[in-house]
Amino acid sequence: MSKILPTLLVLALTVWCLVSIVQAPEGTVRSLPKWAWILLVLFFPLAGGLAYVIAGRPTGLPPRSRAPRQAPRGPDDDEDFLRGL
């Protein structure tokens, strides 16, 4: 059992990292492109997985370029509507 547990932990870390990388929206993974993280985790499971957890995971904050525009609350708050009057 003592030899199986470390192997299972590394396997679980590898699977979790791969799922996390694949599901992350494009441009949110830090430091390297998604394809590079996938290769790193596949070829070096323990080191690549730990590197991804430390330096690659998305921070949870949306990138500034993708911030959604807030919709106006009413017609008098919509500049486009007021210009059309």
Side-chain angles (χ1 to χ4, degrees):
M1 181 68 177
S2 64
K3 294 180 181 181
I4 296 173
L5 187 60
T7 304
L8 289 176
L9 290 174
V10 171
L11 181 64
L13 176 67
T14 303
V15 169
W16 179 82
C17 287
L18 289 173
V19 169
S20 176
I21 294 167
V22 169
Q23 289 182 347
E26 194 65 41
T28 60
V29 177
R30 299 179 294 150
S31 304
L32 293 173
K34 288 173 68 169
W35 62 267
W37 279 116
I38 291 171
L39 291 177
L40 188 67
V41 170
L42 285 175
F43 288 129
F44 307 102
L46 182 60
L50 291 175
Y52 174 72
V53 169
I54 293 169
R57 279 188 26 209
T59 59
L61 299 174
R64 292 182 185 177
S65 62
R66 294 186 184 190
R69 180 178 174 240
Q70 288 186 344
R73 291 184 292 182
D76 57 337
D77 294 334
D78 189 359
E79 294 176 15
D80 294 330
F81 176 77
L82 294 175
R83 273 190 224 112
L85 290 179

